[in-house]
Amino acid sequence: MNFDAAVIAAVTGHMNDDHLDDNLLIAKAFGYPNATASTMTGLDEQAGVWRVTDAAGEHELRVDWPGAPIADRPQVRRQVVELYKAACATLGVPARDEHEPAEAAAHGHAHGEAHPHAGSSPHGHNPHAAEEAADGPKPFSRVVRESSWSDHSSSEGANFMEDIMRGVASKQDYIDLVAQHFFMYEALEEAATQLASDPAYAGLHPAALVRLGTLEVDLEHLLGANWRDEIRPVPASAAYAARIREVAAEGWLPGIIAHHYTRYLGDLSGGQIIARRVARQHGFDGAGVAFYDFASLGDLKAFKENYRDGLDALGETLDEGEQQRMIEEVRAAYAFNTAVFVDLAELKAAA
């Protein structure tokens, strides 16, 4: 359906009057990481539309609603909230608790918050030196997100991944990314057997989370039966896999969880929007984007909440030094991600 002009005017007016910071978050998370301004200009049943400004000029950005298609104004409110939360997850920005979907709908609000730690450095500080919530210290999961925010942003800002998120990358670009995922997850899921065998952390790695089989399905669809002979890791992927195996060989469970958290929580958040965009762009239906299909995991929101609860429980068992060591490993994982994108961009340029 097409929303009438009055609904569009009301929604865009509300977003541009009261939630400019949220508009900017969405722009940075879904295609323009260096955006300096973003205003909402329209919407339809499939997506919201923003006008984004960065150093290169002005751009139009369409971002699919997480629950598309939608049919009425209350759904718009809920979908904007979900889009905001997905943007926060992609950038590592804590979403405001008061904007859970039900409450947001009740209050007629959209969402949004500028980066709460903008201007601060995540390097070399005590994670508990951050502001404490009114009811006590921040949960460890939130400390991890806030401490690694700049690293999320840098990772998403690599040009190669930026093009995929905007839906302008070639099919070969996507194939190259899927191939690198195979080498990453081959190492990660070997390491994750240590989590699955530990009763304290088995809930973080249920069988439905495992991705290696889905990557094999995608690669066979994309490259054919001999796909294993067609793929090679770029140097950064090889280094990334080697680091994961090094942490696993040490038996350092918080370090394994650092890499596990970085990859899977991204797959379950911004990765879902990427999957829809890639599927529409290249005509995939199942095979080709099977990697992003977590239907057998059940309620993704509930799983992510339980995962963060697991991180909080882990944090309570770690002393300050070990917490900081794990945070630095999360930051290292994001650095590896960025390096992989850079290598893929160089590979593309040399082709």
Side-chain angles (χ1 to χ4, degrees):
M1 65 162 289
N2 292 320
F3 289 93
D4 65 40
V7 170
I8 295 172
V11 172
T12 57
H14 175 68
M15 291 295 293
N16 296 330
D17 290 343
D18 297 339
H19 297 289
L20 279 176
D21 288 337
D22 305 352
N23 289 335
L24 191 58
L25 271 179
I26 290 167
K28 288 184 174 184
F30 298 113
Y32 294 95
N34 298 314
T36 57
S38 177
T39 55
M40 192 175 191
T41 59
L43 61 99
D44 57 34
E45 65 177 356
Q46 296 291 338
V49 183
W50 283 261
R51 184 175 63 249
V52 180
T53 304
D54 63 10
E58 288 193 349
H59 318 272
E60 181 177 278
L61 172 67
R62 279 181 61 87
V63 185
D64 292 348
W65 303 125
I70 60 175
D72 56 38
R73 184 170 176 175
Q75 287 181 302
V76 174
R77 294 186 184 124
R78 289 192 291 271
Q79 290 305 299
V80 172
V81 171
E82 291 304 313
L83 196 59
Y84 157 73
K85 291 167 70 177
C88 288
T90 297
L91 296 173
V93 177
R96 286 202 304 272
D97 292 338
E98 69 267 26
H99 287 115
E100 289 300 312
E103 187 169 351
H107 290 281
H109 242 325
H111 55 254
E113 177 175 287
H115 314 316
H117 49 291
S120 66
S121 170
H123 295 275
H125 72 287
N126 174 358
H128 291 299
E131 289 184 62
E132 292 188 351
D135 57 349
K138 291 181 181 179
F140 185 57
S141 58
R142 182 173 174 183
V143 172
V144 171
R145 290 200 306 274
E146 292 186 5
S147 297
S148 61
W149 177 81
S150 63
D151 304 283
H152 291 244
S153 181
S154 296
S155 179
E156 293 299 334
N159 289 338
F160 183 89
M161 194 61 184
E162 182 180 336
D163 286 348
I164 288 178
M165 294 181 72
R166 289 169 57 193
V168 298
S170 69
K171 185 175 180 180
Q172 185 60 51
D173 293 340
Y174 177 66
I175 292 171
D176 291 342
L177 178 65
V178 176
Q180 301 315 305
H181 280 163
F182 178 81
F183 296 109
M184 297 173 194
Y185 283 81
E186 185 178 43
L188 182 59
E189 292 183 350
E190 288 172 5
T193 60
Q194 295 185 44
L195 304 180
S197 64
D198 187 322
Y201 305 113
L204 299 181
H205 192 72
L209 194 65
V210 174
R211 295 292 92 193
L212 205 56
T214 63
L215 285 166
E216 292 172 350
V217 169
D218 287 343
L219 287 166
E220 182 167 352
H221 179 78
L222 295 166
L223 293 171
N226 295 323
W227 62 267
R228 289 179 186 272
D229 298 328
E230 301 293 325
I231 65 172
R232 300 286 185 278
V234 296
S237 293
Y240 192 0
R243 176 55 187 166
I244 293 171
R245 290 188 170 106
E246 180 182 3
V247 169
E250 182 184 342
W252 180 35
L253 290 186
I256 296 172
I257 292 170
H259 289 279
H260 193 274
Y261 157 83
T262 302
R263 295 244 41 109
Y264 289 109
L265 268 288
D267 300 335
L268 293 167
S269 299
Q272 299 302 296
I273 294 175
I274 293 170
R276 285 191 288 274
R277 191 162 295 179
V278 169
R280 185 174 65 245
Q281 181 186 5
H282 300 300
F284 298 140
D285 182 13
V289 288
F291 171 76
Y292 295 103
D293 182 359
F294 289 92
S296 59
L297 195 61
D299 185 332
L300 301 191
K301 180 176 182 290
F303 178 81
K304 288 187 287 185
E305 290 174 350
N306 289 337
Y307 195 106
R308 294 185 185 104
D309 289 343
L311 282 184
D312 295 339
L314 171 64
E316 292 177 0
T317 72
L318 304 177
D319 63 25
E320 182 179 307
E322 190 70 357
Q323 286 186 354
Q324 188 61 33
R325 185 186 177 204
M326 180 177 165
I327 287 169
E328 291 302 320
E329 196 66 27
V330 170
R331 300 190 67 243
Y334 283 111
F336 279 120
N337 276 310
T338 300
V340 169
F341 300 152
V342 171
D343 279 0
L344 285 171
E346 292 177 353
L347 183 68
K348 178 178 180 178

